[in-house]
Amino acid sequence: MSRPSRFAVPTESPARWLPMAILAAACASVLAYPRAPAATPQRWAPANIASDQYESSPTFSPDGRELYFMRSDRNFAQWRILRSRCTDAGWSPPESPSFAAGRAGLDADPFLADDGRRLYFVSARHDPNGEDLDIYYVQREPGGDWGAPVRLPAPVNSPASELLPRALADGRLLFGSSREGGLGQGDLYMATPGADGAWRVRNLGAPVSSAANEYEADLSHDGRELVAVTDRGDRSHLYRYRLERGRWRELGKLPARQDVFQVGPLLSPRGDRLLFAQADGERSGEFFVLDLRPGADRHWPPECVAKSAANAAIK
């Protein structure tokens, strides 16, 4: 599958293989962390989640017992959404959720809303060529399963690809898009639903959006911290921003590997830790976690320890 011309990026960028920024990477875990804040990202690789393929774009249910993420093959193709549940034996072997497309390569970037009752994702299931990624959602039914996927209307979706939707508590939706009229190859947008059911979409503007390629971001629950995935000409990296007096200020690049790309950022509920995907040599792509400030809550990402391991730890 070729990447649309609007997403043209330097050949070093992973995005040359996909029409999106769902390229995965990074997961190998450390179940116990040092007391001092980590100066560098640490692997997070629970059994059954980490594999020899690429895991990225994680999202957890409010109780921390359900995990959705994206997995692609070692060539950044054939991506699909998977679900794992916390059981007495640890994280369960991942499986396709009920709303998943019938074949790989169509669905990506899952995100659970704060109440756990709606899940957003991107899909090209409507496109015969399988290239135009639009934002969809599914609603959780009374029995706990998911309803039929609903495709959001314009202007949220556009003829270009939309990426990594992030639902805010007030109903707004943050996402990346390469649509016409932006500031660069890709920009970050905020969609606001109206009382009449219509959506208003605005570009976040400088400095978050720029002449470079911004295509993914996550926003803290208080709306004051933002982490964006941006390709400024070498490859895609993580950049941090803070809202000060109503304006975003860039705080710089986060400390991750410079020789590989990072994607799929997810901020902890307190905004003090970041989970993302990063290449990891022979392990292919893995999840990594990074402390963003001293005293970060080390209980996030949610732990799911098998009962036998927990009992052994107590002894």
Side-chain angles (χ1 to χ4, degrees):
M1 181 186 302
S2 61
R3 185 178 177 84
S5 59
R6 293 192 187 93
F7 283 87
V9 292
T11 55
E12 289 83 355
S13 169
R16 68 185 185 276
W17 287 292
L18 297 179
M20 55 183 296
I22 60 171
L23 314 169
C27 198
S29 165
V30 181
L31 295 180
Y33 296 94
R35 291 186 178 276
T40 58
Q42 306 296 309
R43 292 188 189 90
W44 186 78
N48 284 336
I49 303 302
S51 74
D52 61 353
Q53 300 184 67
Y54 285 79
E55 288 80 40
S56 71
S57 306
T59 183
F60 297 93
S61 60
D63 62 5
R65 299 187 63 80
E66 195 174 21
L67 165 64
Y68 290 79
F69 63 99
M70 190 198 75
R71 178 179 286 164
S72 62
D73 64 25
R74 297 180 67 89
N75 294 316
F76 310 111
Q78 300 302 306
W79 55 88
R80 65 269 194 205
I81 293 174
L82 296 175
R83 175 180 62 184
S84 177
R85 288 173 171 160
C86 183
T87 70
D88 290 344
W91 289 108
S92 65
E95 58 184 6
S96 295
S98 59
F99 61 84
R103 66 176 178 85
L106 295 179
D107 298 341
D109 293 355
F111 182 73
L112 276 164
D114 283 349
D115 62 4
R117 301 194 57 77
R118 179 173 287 193
L119 185 145
Y120 292 86
F121 64 104
V122 299
S123 180
R125 62 181 66 198
H126 58 276
D127 181 8
N129 296 321
E131 294 184 347
D132 174 39
L133 291 159
D134 278 355
I135 299 173
Y136 287 72
Y137 72 85
V138 287
Q139 199 75 23
R140 202 184 291 270
E141 297 179 332
D145 210 343
W146 296 106
V150 177
R151 184 182 176 192
L152 289 179
V156 178
N157 288 316
S158 73
S161 283
E162 281 68 50
L163 309 171
L164 204 77
R166 292 289 195 248
L168 280 61
D170 60 7
R172 291 181 297 161
L173 197 63
L174 173 68
F175 62 94
S177 178
S178 62
R179 63 187 59 198
E180 298 290 352
L183 303 179
Q185 300 174 58
D187 286 343
L188 298 173
Y189 293 84
M190 187 71 75
T192 303
D196 58 356
W199 290 81
R200 292 180 292 105
V201 175
R202 67 175 179 86
N203 193 312
L204 288 190
V208 177
S209 294
S210 72
N213 187 14
E214 292 85 20
Y215 54 83
E216 293 184 347
D218 194 22
L219 186 67
S220 62
H221 285 199
D222 64 7
R224 303 191 61 82
E225 299 276 343
L226 183 144
V227 173
V229 176
T230 303
D231 186 340
R232 295 183 174 176
D234 52 356
R235 52 180 55 83
S236 301
H237 295 301
L238 301 166
Y239 292 84
R240 187 180 181 187
Y241 299 83
R242 180 172 295 147
L243 191 64
E244 298 179 352
R245 298 181 180 178
R247 298 179 63 87
W248 289 107
R249 180 170 72 90
E250 183 180 326
L251 302 182
K253 186 187 298 185
L254 287 174
R257 286 180 56 181
Q258 300 305 302
D259 60 327
V260 298
F261 60 89
Q262 295 87 39
V263 288
L266 180 70
L267 285 161
S268 66
R270 287 173 44 176
D272 55 2
R273 303 197 94 192
L274 179 72
L275 191 63
F276 64 92
Q278 179 174 265
D280 192 29
E282 292 302 316
R283 295 184 62 89
S284 186
E286 306 295 336
F287 290 122
F288 282 77
V289 64
L290 174 67
D291 287 354
L292 297 180
R293 58 175 179 259
D297 183 4
R298 302 299 175 83
H299 294 98
W300 191 93
E303 297 180 10
C304 181
V305 181
K307 278 192 172 181
S308 57
N311 292 337
I314 293 174
K315 293 177 182 179

